[in-house]
């Protein structure tokens, strides 16, 4: 069978371990475990770092058991890659190995007052003040403001920092540190893609920026070492795969870009999961957006290899809106039923749904927006709302694609897609209709994990996976062509834009005390778990 490569895919609400054949990119087996999310206050989203870690261990062991049942020798697993939800923030005690607080999830809104306070230190309260250095606006989304909140509000964190016991990391750092030994010699590192989402990395030098650390008042000593996305970081210290090198690390959206083999300048992909993320490879120099997109590190596939950069359009709520329809409104019992009832009407009949549950991300970066459903009449029923929810995902994608086309100057002729939500054929056809370009979906769905496996297998010292374009396995695709005329598409899009304007200016940074909205919101559930 040849060499195998494993991939840990630690997402917002599930962990998985998958094993691929390095010669053919065939997925051989996997195991998945759903994770709890906690909503202790309105706008707060947390997870237990220890539960995350235990789920990773369990997935590795269960997948190895499944491989043995298939008579596949786990001794052929030559490397492991890690891909993860980005920005989610953990601080732990390096002497005990215990987290000092729950992980603050990327969607969390508690830091809006922290953001407001930081903006007061900047001339003109310009949230793009550091964009030329970080590629990012100052926002609740990124890790630095979450760390600042923890330092300001959690006594145990401040004390551990003062005593030199604290370590900070995004989920990749926490998982790799624990898997390579934890308090007994674990490797404290991150890769350039995850580091570029903290607001503390200079994306030009690919090093932690002392001035940014000073601005956020975060001690540089607690930060992990920044490394490439493809090199041996350390060895598994326990379990069935003890001694196997961990040699790949990519934030989930970068991993999907690699898995889609978008290695050339101008190639792009859109991933539909909890949120929706469009990335376009811009080559070896960071391109700064003038239309509300982020500049991020796409990958650095080797210590001596140059970094590649991407423009990114980030949408907070995509697949999560389907879970919300199911669990909060009760209009369907499963994700597949949402697709079915939307198909029954085939039109929203003037109903528009802006799911700005966490404000609006790209291209607006408007934290005061909140979700609205408008255009309701006595004719409107739950089927129209379901259809409007699917349309909302497609309209949001069009907004970030238009910004991407303006920044890049060359419009995309088709859109490569992946993620659990792409199983919804109604959604994919809607997307082609609303964009007026074909939508192309790979037949192998586990693109994010594949990207992590490719990075791990290609690492120096492993060398079982070639990233030479001539050696890469050909991928089969399903194609969705536009089926409505562009005039109808433009008309529907214009109504959507009107609805977006109505959603803005709704919230303040002060908590709403009249009701408990956010504890009931299921923000961050991958579409593939909705059934």
């Amino acid at each position: 069978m040849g060499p195998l490569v494993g991939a840990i895919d630690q997402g917002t609400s599930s962990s998985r371990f998958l094993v691929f054949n390095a010669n053919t990119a065939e997925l051989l087996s996997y195991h998945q475990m759903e994770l709890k999310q906690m909503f202790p206050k309105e706008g707060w989203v947390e997870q237990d770092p220890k539960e995350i870690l235990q789920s990773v261990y369990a997935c590795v062991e269960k997948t190895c058991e499944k491989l043995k049942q298939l008579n596949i020798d786990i001794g052929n697993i030559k490397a492991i890659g890690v891909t993860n939800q980005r920005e989610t923030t953990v601080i732990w005690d390096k002497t005990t190995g215990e987290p000092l607080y729950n992980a603050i999830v990327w969607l969390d809104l508690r830091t809006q007052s922290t953001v407001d306070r930081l903006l007061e230190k900047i001339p003109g309260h310009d949230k793009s003040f550091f964009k030329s250095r970080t590629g990012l606006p100052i926002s609740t989304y990124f890790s630095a403001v979450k760390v600042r909140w923890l330092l300001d509000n959690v006594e145990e964190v401040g004390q551990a920092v003062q005593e030199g016991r604290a370590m900070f990391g995004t989920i990749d750092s926490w998982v790799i540190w624990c898997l390579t030994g934890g308090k007994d010699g674990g490797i404290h590192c991150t890769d350039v893609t995850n580091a570029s989402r903290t607001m503390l990395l200079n994306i030009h030098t690919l090093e932690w920026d002392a001035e940014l650390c000073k601005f956020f008042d975060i001690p540089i000593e607690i930060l992990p070492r920044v490394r490439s996305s493809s090199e041996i970081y350390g060895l598994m210290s326990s379990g069935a795969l003890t001694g196997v090198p961990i040699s790949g690390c990519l934030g989930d959206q970068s991993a999907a870009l690699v898995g889609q083999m978008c290695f050339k300048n101008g190639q792009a992909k859109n991933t539909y999961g909890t949120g929706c993320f469009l990335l376009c490879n811009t080559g070896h120099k960071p391109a700064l957006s003038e239309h509300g997109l982020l500049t991020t590190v796409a990958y650095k596939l080797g210590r001596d290899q140059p970094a590649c950069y991407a423009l990114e359009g980030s949408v907070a709520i995509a697949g999560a809106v389907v879970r919300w329809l199911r669990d909060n409104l009760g209009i369907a019992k499963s994700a597949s039923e949402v697709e079915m009832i939307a198909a029954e009407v085939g039109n929203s009949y003037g109903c528009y749904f802006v799911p700005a549950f966490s404000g609006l991300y790209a291209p607006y970066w408007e934290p005061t927006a909140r979700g609205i459903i408008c255009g309701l009449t006595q004719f409107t029923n739950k089927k129209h709302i379901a259809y409007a929810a699917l349309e909302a995902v497609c309209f949001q994608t069009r907004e970030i694609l238009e910004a991407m086309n303006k920044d890049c100057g060359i419009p995309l002729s088709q859109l490569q897609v992946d993620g659990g939500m792409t199983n919804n054929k109604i959604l994919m056809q809607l997307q082609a209709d609303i964009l007026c370009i074909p939508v192309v979906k790979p037949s192998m769905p586990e693109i994010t994990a594949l990207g992590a496996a490719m990075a791990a297998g290609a690492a120096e010292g492993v060398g079982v996976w070639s990233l030479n374009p001539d050696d890469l396995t050909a991928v089969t695709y399903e194609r969705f062509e536009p089926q409505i005329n562009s005039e109808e598409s433009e008309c529907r899009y214009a109504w959507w834009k009107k609805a977006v304007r109505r959603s803005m200016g709704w919230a303040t940074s002060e908590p709403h005390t009249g009701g408990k909205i956010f504890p009931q919101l299921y923000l961050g559930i991958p579409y593939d778990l909705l059934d």
Side-chain angles (χ1 to χ4, degrees), residues 233-263:
Y233 313 112
L235 307 180
M236 291 282 286
S237 65
S238 66
L241 299 182
T242 298
V244 175
I246 299 174
S247 54
C249 182
L250 291 154
D252 53 6
Q253 302 312 318
S254 288
L257 195 73
V258 171
Q260 287 268 27
M261 293 180 272
C262 295
F263 294 128

Side-chain angles (χ1 to χ4, degrees), residues 232-483:
I232 295 175
Y233 313 112
L235 307 180
M236 291 282 286
S237 65
S238 66
L241 299 182
T242 298
V244 175
I246 299 174
S247 54
C249 182
L250 291 154
D252 53 6
Q253 302 312 318
S254 288
L257 195 73
V258 171
Q260 287 268 27
M261 293 180 272
C262 295
F263 294 128
K264 294 179 181 176
N265 192 338
Q267 290 184 316
K269 66 87 202 174
N270 197 38
T271 300
Y272 301 77
T274 301
C276 198
F277 301 90
L278 175 65
L279 270 72
C280 180
N281 189 326
T282 60
H284 298 310
K285 290 185 178 178
L288 293 177
S289 173
E290 296 179 0
H291 300 95
L293 303 181
L294 308 176
T295 302
T296 198
V297 181
Y299 52 81
K300 186 179 189 295
L301 296 174
R303 279 181 292 191
D304 301 323
Q305 296 298 312
C308 279
Y309 295 86
L311 283 172
E312 174 174 328
S314 314
V315 171
I317 302 295
V321 74
V322 175
R323 176 77 180 239
W324 185 83
L325 289 176
R326 189 193 79 179
D327 291 345
N328 288 42
L329 295 194
I331 70 170
K333 294 178 181 177
S334 66
S336 56
E337 188 181 346
V338 171
E339 179 180 4
M340 182 182 71
I341 65 174
E344 287 176 10
V345 287
N347 198 312
S348 67
Y349 288 93
C351 174
Y352 288 85
F353 186 170
V354 183
F357 300 153
S358 293
L360 290 168
Y361 282 20
Y364 302 103
W365 299 105
E366 182 49 71
T368 68
R370 286 296 179 269
I372 62 166
I373 301 174
C374 55
L376 299 171
T377 68
Q378 286 179 305
F379 179 70
T380 308
N381 62 38
K382 68 179 183 180
K383 298 175 183 180
H384 303 120
I385 292 172
Y387 194 92
L390 298 183
E391 271 192 321
V393 176
C394 301
F395 285 132
Q396 289 180 106
T397 295
R398 175 162 173 177
E399 288 185 316
I400 55 179
L401 182 64
E402 285 190 347
M404 190 78 74
N405 288 340
K406 289 174 185 174
D407 279 325
C408 295
I410 304 172
L412 290 178
S413 58
Q414 65 178 32
L415 183 65
Q416 289 179 230
V417 301
D418 59 83
M421 209 176 185
T422 60
N423 293 325
N424 185 324
K425 293 185 184 297
I426 298 294
L427 180 81
M428 292 296 95
Q429 186 57 56
L430 259 176
Q431 189 67 86
D433 291 344
I434 286 168
L435 296 181
C436 303
I437 59 173
V439 169
V440 181
K441 172 193 168 187
S443 55
M444 205 291 284
E446 304 296 348
I447 293 298
T448 301
L450 176 63
M454 289 166 67
E460 183 181 352
V462 178
V464 298
W465 204 308
S466 172
L467 297 183
N468 185 318
D470 296 333
D471 297 332
L472 293 170
T473 306
V475 179
T476 56
Y477 292 96
E478 184 175 3
R479 191 176 178 91
F480 298 84
E481 299 281 350
Q483 293 182 353

Side-chain angles (χ1 to χ4, degrees), residues 34-217:
E34 192 167 348
L35 295 168
K36 295 175 187 171
Q37 291 189 3
M38 292 166 275
F39 307 93
K41 293 184 182 180
E42 181 186 325
W44 293 29
V45 190
E46 297 178 0
Q47 290 181 307
D48 180 352
K50 293 173 75 173
E51 183 194 357
I52 289 173
L53 182 65
Q54 290 305 316
S55 71
V56 169
Y57 280 128
C59 287
V60 170
E61 298 303 313
K62 291 285 187 183
T63 303
C64 288
E65 290 174 15
K66 291 178 181 180
L67 290 171
K68 289 175 183 175
Q69 290 168 6
L70 296 169
N71 293 317
I72 296 172
D73 184 2
I74 63 171
N76 288 331
I77 298 175
K78 303 301 182 186
I80 295 169
V82 175
T83 183
N84 57 286
Q85 54 171 313
R86 303 171 302 171
E87 301 96 16
T88 297
T89 296
V90 185
I91 295 182
W92 66 94
D93 187 324
K94 65 184 179 183
T95 62
T96 66
E98 293 292 313
L100 295 166
Y101 193 78
N102 281 332
I104 300 181
V105 177
W106 58 278
L107 279 165
D108 187 280
L109 291 176
R110 78 186 68 190
T111 55
Q112 188 56 53
S113 58
T114 305
V115 169
D116 294 342
R117 194 169 69 250
L118 290 166
L119 288 173
E120 289 174 5
K121 297 162 61 175
I122 292 174
H125 295 190
D126 180 9
K127 60 187 174 187
S128 297
F129 187 74
F130 293 118
K131 204 168 181 184
S132 63
R133 199 181 309 193
T134 65
L136 313 172
I138 298 177
S139 162
T140 60
Y141 185 17
F142 307 110
S143 308
V145 292
K146 302 180 196 297
V147 176
R148 184 65 259 152
W149 187 92
L150 286 164
L151 289 167
D152 289 337
N153 293 279
V154 181
E155 187 177 342
E156 292 88 343
V157 170
Q159 189 172 346
V161 167
Q162 283 184 349
E163 295 173 4
R165 294 183 286 109
M167 282 182 165
F168 153 75
T170 42
I171 295 297
D172 57 306
S173 297
W174 166 244
V175 167
I176 292 172
W177 185 79
C178 292
L179 293 181
T180 56
K183 63 182 180 179
D184 299 316
I187 305 300
H188 189 212
C189 68
T190 188
D191 91 300
V192 289
T193 69
N194 281 294
S196 73
R197 311 297 293 189
T198 61
M199 282 210 82
L200 299 173
L201 187 85
N202 184 314
I203 59 172
H204 305 280
T205 67
L206 302 180
E207 295 176 347
W208 299 124
D209 189 296
E211 290 184 12
L212 289 168
C213 289
K214 185 177 180 182
F215 174 81
F216 289 101
D217 196 15

